[in-house]
């Protein structure tokens, strides 16, 4: 966990090196962490970046999967969405189907990160994910806010009554 509201690897590089991890997966960040990725690679570590943030420079020392840096047509897709598509690809390689179980969290991530719902892919995933919420904490939050949410889990009710709690915790620093 970061100490404050920040993205990226900068505050964790030394810890990663010390702990002898071989593969580092960086969700929702990392495209711009060029110096950190170079350092990790020099220690023999592989880095996979799954990100949706714009980036000025190429990151030559990581595998960067980022919908802003390729021809992927959906630019209004959050880090959660990019991670999910990566998981779907791993599913395809392994002939498994774990990714489908996390659509509720992909929907939540895209909603809480205020992605544009004019994107057909994002809107579809949000509809589908909120239609079948499985994550126990998400279920708990929606039960606790059931009155305000008028008994409905949809983009509007989640944006107003669930996302603010999660964003507040993640961005509150110490
Ligand atoms: Mn993000």
């Amino acid at each position: 966990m970061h100490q404050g509201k920040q993205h990226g690897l900068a505050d964790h590089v030394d810890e990663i090196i010390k702990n002898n991890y071989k593969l580092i997966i960086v969700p929702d960040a990392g495209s711009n962490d060029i110096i950190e990725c170079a350092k990790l690679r020099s220690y023999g570590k592989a880095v996979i970046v799954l990100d949706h943030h714009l980036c000025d420079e190429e990151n030559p020392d990581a595998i960067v999967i980022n919908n802003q840096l390729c021809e992927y047509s959906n630019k209004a897709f959050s880090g959660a969405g990019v991670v999910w598509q990566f998981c779907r690809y791993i599913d395809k390689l392994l002939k498994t189907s774990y990714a489908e179980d996390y659509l509720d969290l992909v929907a939540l991530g895209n909603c809480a990160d205020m992605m544009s719902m004019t994107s057909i892919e994002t809107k579809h995933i949000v509809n589908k994910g909120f239609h079948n919420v499985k994550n126990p904490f998400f279920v708990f939050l929606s039960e606790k806010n059931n009155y305000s949410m008028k008994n409905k889990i949809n983009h509007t009710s989640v944006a107003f009554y669930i996302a603010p709690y999660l964003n507040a915790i993640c961005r509150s620093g110490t």
Side-chain angles (χ1 to χ4, degrees):
M1 291 295 288
H2 295 299
Q3 287 302 311
K5 158 66 183 143
Q6 62 196 95
H7 281 273
L9 282 167
D11 55 335
H12 288 302
V13 169
D14 294 335
E15 194 194 330
I16 292 167
I17 291 167
K18 202 173 68 195
N19 279 289
N20 202 29
Y21 303 121
K22 296 216 162 39
L23 171 67
I24 296 98
I25 298 177
V26 189
D28 193 31
S31 298
N32 278 302
D33 291 342
I34 292 163
I35 294 164
E36 290 80 8
C37 289
K39 188 167 177 188
L40 289 171
R41 193 172 174 195
S42 76
Y43 280 85
K45 295 164 194 314
V47 182
I48 300 177
V49 165
L50 305 169
D51 197 10
H52 74 128
H53 294 96
L54 287 166
C55 167
D56 321 313
E57 241 182 285
E58 200 172 320
N59 186 337
D61 294 301
I63 297 161
V64 178
I65 300 171
N66 183 325
N67 57 331
Q68 310 297 342
L69 308 179
C70 63
E71 31 334 322
Y72 197 77
S73 61
N74 185 6
K75 303 300 177 193
F77 210 26
S78 75
V82 175
V83 168
W84 184 69
Q85 287 292 20
F86 177 76
C87 292
R88 281 184 76 203
Y89 183 70
I90 300 290
D91 266 342
K92 198 171 133 190
L93 295 179
L94 300 178
K95 297 184 170 52
T96 54
S97 58
Y98 296 114
E100 293 298 314
D101 291 336
Y102 297 92
L103 263 176
D104 54 350
L105 295 181
V106 187
L108 179 58
N110 276 278
C111 179
D113 211 10
M114 314 239 284
M115 293 298 106
S116 168
M117 293 300 136
T118 60
S119 154
I120 290 170
E121 181 187 31
T122 305
K123 177 64 177 158
H124 175 70
I125 284 169
V126 165
N127 285 350
K128 204 174 168 190
F130 287 165
H131 195 74
N132 185 14
V133 173
K134 299 175 182 179
N135 178 272
F137 187 55
F138 193 173
V139 170
F140 172 81
L141 286 171
S142 49
E143 281 169 1
K144 286 287 172 189
N145 293 285
N146 193 29
Y147 176 77
S148 309
M149 293 168 76
K150 300 192 174 72
N151 226 346
K152 288 193 182 83
I153 299 177
N154 57 34
H155 181 262
T156 308
S157 68
V158 171
F160 273 96
Y161 300 109
I162 291 185
Y165 293 113
L166 303 174
N167 282 331
I169 289 293
C170 294
R171 291 158 198 257
S172 62
T174 56

